[in-house]
Amino acid sequence: MASTQLQNIVKRFEGGNIAVDNVSLSVEDGGLLVLVGPSGCGKSTTLRMIAGLEQVTSGRILIGDRDVTDVGPAQRDIAMVFQNYALYPHMTVRQNLGFGLKMRRTASREVRNRVDDAAEMLQLQELLDRRPGQLSGGQRQRVALGRAIVRKPAVFLFDEPLSNLDARLRGQTRMELAALHRRLGSTMIYVTHDQTEAMTLGQIVAVMDEGVVKQIGPPLELYERPANRFVAGFLGSPPMNLIDGVYSNGQFIADDLQVPVSGFDPVPSGLMEGSRITMGFRPEHVQIGAVTDSNSIQLGSVRTRQIERLGSITLFYFKIANCSCVGQQSGNTLNEVQLSIKLERKDVHWFDVSGHRMDSIWS
């Protein structure tokens, strides 16, 4: 096991396209970091640079106390699990699991012991004599995991390993991965575009967009206090509602929506009469009913455009201030077409014209 550090990493491809722009990350020994973001944001390129499969344009990569920036993949003491499993179709599961060890001239008894241990850990004992073509997608993914485990690397790297599985298998394998991390206590870096995987697996989550880390921290911290508009809109399913407007005469104004604002304390830098700001709120924080105390704000009366009953929760869609929004209620009894909705002041997020979070809008 080993800590991993990225120091001001830049990846520039031919033609000047910058895929990763000055990224610095640190994963402690035994930690699990998830890199999450939309397709093309640079997360897989970052992982491939850690693995040594992509050359770093500038910056340093350290595994433990060793600078591996210019070290080949085979000498980095890492194991990588790919999206497409990358199993040898002509080999049995046992042969796939032990192939990497044999290439390193590991003693036969040691190979057998490690393969048996990994097979027991991943419940592959009954599949050892089968070939990949005889396995389901979930079984193939477990074999790919096992092949990484037998290596006993300093760092595990996962590149969207669950994206080829159906929803049920993704959930099951996600739990197995979390249990595996607890059991091994190994350093892991996991790349995904799936925010559910990021929120449930990561001890630390780094949200990337356009080659830049937009925010890094514990998953609940990112969800409850997004540092910018991108993170606010990316994390959450459904995502945060975001309404653009202006600050004028002590109010947030967006078309026909007027929300009284008692003042900024402290006053955010650059905020003045007519400043463009964005109001954000999570669907689960939308409440039905009239304001009864000063801790709430009224958004007004809205007409539901669509209602989706999902069993334990109901989603309802509405339009306010020329913005399509969604609310979430528990249960499945919501039937009203016309609703009066409100928010608790503490559940409202504010972002400036640059998309950065503004705190203390309520005095």
Side-chain angles (χ1 to χ4, degrees):
M1 297 184 294
S3 61
T4 303
Q5 294 183 55
L6 277 64
Q7 299 178 352
N8 307 110
I9 294 298
V10 173
K11 176 61 180 178
R12 184 181 292 105
F13 289 107
E14 291 185 13
N17 177 47
I18 298 178
V20 177
D21 189 4
N22 197 35
V23 167
S24 294
L25 296 169
S26 180
V27 191
E28 63 182 14
D29 188 4
L32 200 168
L33 169 73
V34 175
L35 291 174
V36 64
S39 297
C41 71
K43 56 189 185 296
S44 289
T45 301
T46 300
L47 196 75
R48 290 174 63 83
M49 286 191 288
I50 299 172
L53 302 177
E54 292 282 358
Q55 187 175 0
V56 174
T57 303
S58 64
R60 299 172 69 217
I61 298 175
L62 286 79
I63 296 179
D65 56 0
R66 190 163 65 110
D67 188 335
V68 299
T69 310
D70 299 314
V71 174
Q75 286 74 48
R76 294 198 180 196
D77 196 15
I78 57 95
M80 192 161 179
V81 179
F82 295 92
Q83 176 180 344
N84 62 358
Y85 317 135
L87 302 178
Y88 296 104
H90 63 287
M91 294 184 181
T92 65
V93 169
R94 181 182 292 278
Q95 290 169 333
N96 266 285
L97 291 174
F99 182 75
L101 296 178
K102 288 187 176 181
M103 293 298 291
R104 286 171 170 74
R105 302 183 183 277
T106 306
S108 296
R109 179 177 294 180
E110 178 69 10
V111 172
R112 186 167 57 252
N113 289 339
R114 290 198 195 182
V115 167
D116 288 341
D117 288 345
E120 181 180 359
M121 188 181 304
L122 296 169
Q123 299 178 6
L124 294 170
Q125 300 98 317
E126 297 180 0
L127 306 176
L128 289 173
D129 295 324
R130 297 187 188 180
R131 287 181 168 79
Q134 299 171 295
L135 305 178
S136 67
Q139 290 169 337
R140 292 180 193 178
Q141 190 54 269
R142 292 211 303 275
V143 175
L145 287 171
R147 188 175 55 187
I149 290 170
V150 298
R151 295 265 310 277
K152 295 185 178 179
V155 180
F156 287 88
L157 305 178
F158 298 89
D159 189 9
E160 306 211 39
L162 309 185
S163 59
N164 288 335
L165 304 181
D166 61 39
R168 184 184 64 83
L169 271 177
R170 276 202 305 273
Q172 176 183 329
T173 311
R174 191 167 63 236
M175 289 189 294
E176 292 172 353
L177 275 173
L180 185 65
H181 177 255
R182 290 192 297 269
R183 180 170 179 176
L184 296 176
S186 302
T187 305
M188 295 183 176
I189 302 175
Y190 188 103
V191 159
T192 182
H193 65 274
D194 187 320
Q195 56 180 288
T196 301
E197 288 179 23
M199 294 292 290
T200 55
L201 274 177
Q203 295 174 339
I204 298 294
V205 174
V207 181
M208 292 188 68
D209 184 44
E210 297 183 340
V212 176
V213 174
K214 294 293 187 177
Q215 188 175 1
I216 182 169
L220 282 181
E221 178 182 304
L222 270 61
Y223 186 81
E224 294 174 350
R225 292 183 59 80
N228 50 68
R229 179 172 174 151
F230 177 81
V231 176
F234 184 78
L235 292 182
S237 181
M240 181 181 289
N241 299 299
L242 296 167
I243 302 176
D244 295 324
V246 296
Y247 177 69
S248 177
N249 195 28
Q251 292 186 320
F252 170 77
I253 300 175
D255 294 333
D256 57 347
L257 175 66
Q258 296 186 19
V259 177
V261 177
S262 54
F264 289 81
D265 183 22
V267 176
S269 176
L271 182 69
M272 59 187 67
E273 186 75 8
S275 290
R276 298 200 63 82
I277 58 177
T278 298
M279 175 184 182
F281 52 93
R282 296 280 182 199
E284 64 267 28
H285 292 147
V286 177
Q287 300 179 26
I288 297 174
V291 167
T292 57
D293 57 55
S294 60
N295 294 321
S296 301
I297 57 173
Q298 196 79 49
L299 293 185
S301 180
V302 299
R303 183 179 180 85
T304 57
R305 307 173 74 184
Q306 183 178 349
I307 294 177
E308 294 181 346
R309 307 184 195 285
L310 304 178
S312 60
I313 63 169
T314 296
L315 303 180
F316 59 98
Y317 298 82
F318 58 94
K319 191 172 184 180
I320 189 169
N322 289 321
C323 178
S324 295
C325 297
V326 58
Q328 176 179 310
Q329 295 288 300
S330 60
N332 56 10
T333 60
L334 181 65
N335 292 303
E336 293 89 343
V337 173
Q338 202 73 27
L339 299 172
S340 180
I341 57 174
K342 61 180 180 178
L343 297 167
E344 295 292 317
R345 292 189 178 220
K346 64 180 178 59
D347 294 328
V348 179
H349 305 260
W350 299 95
F351 305 95
D352 64 21
V353 68
S354 299
H356 297 115
R357 180 184 185 86
M358 297 189 298
D359 286 318
S360 303
I361 191 169
W362 309 113
S363 63

